Amino acid sequence: MKEIISNARLNEEYIRVKHPSGATLILYPMKGYSSAYALFGTRYGSVDTTFKTKNDDDFVTVPEGIAHYLEHKLFENDECDAFELYAKTGANANAFTSFDKTAYLFSCSQKFEENLEILLGFVQDPYFTDETVAKEQGIIGQEIRMYEDDPGWRVFFNCLQAMYHNNPVRIDIAGTVESIAKIDKDLLYRCYNTFYNLNNMVIAIAGNFDVDKTLEICDRLLKPSEDPELETKIPDEPYEVLTKRSVQKLSCAMPLFNIGFKLPNDTERFKNKVRYSILMDMCLNKGSDFFERMYESKLINYSFNTYVFDGRGFFSIIVDGESRDPDKVLEETKAELRRLKKEGLDEESFITVRNTLYGSATATFGIVENVAHEALDCELSGVGLYYGLELVAAVTFEDVKNALDELDIDNCSISIIEPAD
């Protein structure tokens, strides 16, 4: 199945292919560009620890951190490391695991077909032994310990752990030293065979590449997969935050803070992301009266930021930065949101922020890397590549006012990292 999907606003189009192997291909050729960017991703992240297929009698639960562990191991086979192959072609290659996806990628300005063959080759050819798995435990264990002492990392995850009772998003993507000790090659193969089934995977490519040659390579190298009818389960999550406050001491020059406003996760996730992104820019972010007032009073500096943190099964607003008095920042933030609820938002400010966001959304389609990542994210989330752009274009002042009305200002947690004595 091959379809051309176009957008009149951008006057652009891309190709979506439901490949016979089960994989979905998103191909976005961009004329006049010298580079290409490709991702091979799976709908499998750190939150996916409980799952079943049609061959399982019931749901199974695996140790936290196994998705990240699997990403590390997949680059190796019995002959060489995939990075060695990319070094010969001159491509830049990498991979990442997030809360709800894992992806392998490369960018290049030459030898695209050769690089694509490398990507499709090693991602479909796992090789795990008891020895290599045991060796990786030490490497990932060191990575976990390193992040345990990172103030920026800890202030974020401490905030998630304060907000969420049961959702696996509260656990570090790499897991814990205790959880990864339970991982063996059999578990890795089980998770690989479950989540790296091509019916659960997307190939997203943008930039300078030949569509016909790309399809020929995919036809030749993608291995047909039977749909395992995969189901994942995320534990039920109470509406209220778990705890209001978390404080830890680490080595840092100034206290760091994350304030998390917890919202329900629902079917309107993408629309809500647009609504709350605009709302926070209007109310709190740089350019707002609140920011100028807080900055002049030296309660915050230019590290202050707000963003929507969302994914499968979770949705929240994060306010972060540095301050010598994080509790005062929390107090002032909540007071400003209450004031705006009472006095109302400014429509001119909405128009300015909405237009700025729309400009950023359209600019995304001029950057090869951004197009490829957006294509992967949208397809794995079950929406089209232009969906977010159309949401921004359609959002109204009433939508944003309703978002503020719906925001439970008291359902929040603050995480603080104080300088160690």
Side-chain angles (χ1 to χ4, degrees):
M1 292 176 60
K2 180 178 177 181
E3 57 182 324
I4 307 295
I5 299 172
S6 60
N7 182 270
R9 296 180 190 278
L10 299 171
N11 194 28
E12 293 185 10
E13 62 184 29
Y14 66 94
I15 303 161
R16 183 181 187 273
V17 179
K18 187 59 182 175
H19 195 265
S21 63
T24 300
L25 316 181
I26 305 296
L27 308 178
Y28 206 110
M30 300 168 68
K31 294 179 180 179
Y33 286 77
S34 60
S35 65
Y37 198 101
L39 297 118
F40 196 176
T42 174
R43 196 177 288 101
Y44 179 40
S46 63
V47 301
D48 298 308
T49 54
T50 301
F51 58 88
K52 73 183 294 290
T53 69
K54 64 183 179 182
N55 298 319
D56 298 313
D57 294 330
D58 201 357
F59 283 89
V60 296
T61 299
V62 296
E64 288 109 353
I66 197 165
H68 172 261
Y69 205 112
L70 187 50
E71 174 225 312
H72 270 234
K73 293 306 304 167
L74 206 54
F75 278 97
E76 301 175 9
N77 62 32
D78 58 339
E79 295 179 357
C80 67
D81 187 301
F83 285 114
E84 297 174 15
L85 300 177
Y86 281 125
K88 296 176 182 178
T89 66
N92 293 315
N94 211 334
F96 64 88
T97 304
S98 69
F99 294 102
D100 55 7
K101 60 180 164 291
T102 304
Y104 304 81
L105 60 95
F106 72 82
S107 63
C108 66
S109 55
Q110 59 183 356
K111 300 183 179 179
F112 172 79
E113 288 85 10
E114 188 175 340
N115 289 317
L116 182 60
E117 291 189 5
I118 294 171
L119 179 66
L120 301 189
F122 81 84
V123 173
Q124 294 184 94
D125 188 24
Y127 176 75
F128 313 131
T129 67
D130 292 329
E131 292 76 19
T132 60
V133 171
K135 178 183 176 183
E136 199 68 31
Q137 283 182 348
I139 296 170
I140 295 179
Q142 286 182 324
E143 182 180 332
I144 292 170
R145 293 185 186 94
M146 177 181 70
Y147 281 115
E148 285 176 349
D149 296 325
D150 184 317
W153 191 258
R154 288 289 7 125
V155 71
F156 173 63
F157 272 97
N158 290 354
C159 186
L160 296 185
Q161 290 170 5
M163 279 194 290
Y164 290 96
H165 298 244
N166 306 316
N167 193 301
V169 75
R170 68 192 309 275
I171 305 298
D172 192 305
I173 291 170
T176 65
V177 172
E178 293 75 23
S179 70
I180 66 168
K182 302 172 185 176
I183 296 173
D184 57 28
K185 69 177 176 59
D186 292 333
L187 270 178
L188 287 177
Y189 274 117
R190 178 167 191 172
C191 289
Y192 176 88
N193 290 329
T194 299
F195 288 97
Y196 284 71
N197 182 290
L198 289 180
N199 290 277
N200 196 50
M201 301 187 76
V202 172
I203 297 168
I205 305 172
N208 179 23
F209 66 99
D210 186 294
V211 171
D212 291 335
K213 290 181 180 178
T214 297
L215 290 173
E216 183 277 321
I217 292 170
C218 291
D219 290 344
R220 177 162 47 87
L221 295 183
L222 291 177
K223 304 172 183 178
S225 306
E226 181 184 355
D227 188 348
E229 298 175 20
L230 173 62
E231 297 177 60
T232 56
K233 180 191 290 186
I234 294 178
D236 292 337
E237 179 66 35
Y239 169 78
E240 298 82 6
V241 298
L242 174 61
T243 183
K244 294 283 189 179
R245 182 177 167 84
S246 170
V247 181
Q248 183 179 2
K249 289 183 181 291
L250 287 172
S251 178
C252 58
M254 185 184 295
L256 281 68
F257 67 88
N258 270 207
I259 301 167
F261 293 91
K262 185 179 179 184
L263 289 93
N265 180 64
D266 57 30
T267 56
E268 294 292 305
R269 169 189 157 195
F270 296 99
K271 183 176 180 180
N272 284 340
K273 184 167 187 175
V274 171
R275 293 196 307 156
Y276 282 107
S277 294
I278 292 174
L279 178 66
M280 289 299 106
D281 278 354
M282 291 173 63
C283 297
L284 305 178
N285 251 343
K286 297 174 182 70
S288 68
D289 292 341
F290 172 81
F291 178 87
E292 296 302 325
R293 187 171 69 252
M294 295 284 283
Y295 182 78
E296 288 175 5
S297 68
K298 298 184 179 180
L299 264 176
I300 60 174
N301 55 31
Y302 269 88
S303 69
F304 183 87
N305 187 41
T306 72
Y307 62 94
V308 173
F309 172 69
D310 67 314
R312 280 189 285 114
F314 55 92
F315 193 100
S316 60
I317 297 165
I318 305 291
V319 180
D320 66 6
E322 301 172 339
S323 176
R324 300 200 180 280
D325 191 350
D327 289 305
K328 182 65 173 176
V329 175
L330 173 62
E331 178 187 324
E332 293 291 338
T333 299
K334 293 170 71 172
E336 178 69 359
L337 293 172
R338 288 196 180 96
R339 181 187 73 80
L340 290 168
K341 272 199 176 196
K342 181 179 179 181
E343 298 179 8
L345 298 170
D346 177 62
E347 189 165 6
E348 286 188 10
S349 174
F350 160 75
I351 293 170
T352 299
V353 171
R354 192 270 313 275
N355 290 348
T356 300
L357 184 59
Y358 181 80
S360 298
T362 55
T364 289
F365 291 92
I367 302 172
V368 171
E369 177 180 348
N370 290 0
V371 173
H373 277 278
E374 189 74 9
L376 179 74
D377 291 350
C378 288
E379 188 62 37
L380 288 177
S381 299
V383 299
L385 176 53
Y386 299 127
Y387 186 65
L389 178 66
E390 294 302 321
L391 284 177
V392 176
V395 68
T396 67
F397 186 44
E398 287 298 318
D399 291 331
V400 176
K401 288 197 297 183
N402 290 338
L404 179 58
D405 290 340
E406 295 162 10
L407 179 63
D408 185 344
I409 296 171
D410 290 317
N411 194 33
C412 68
S413 303
I414 185 169
S415 164
I416 303 170
I417 298 294
E418 296 178 342
D421 297 332

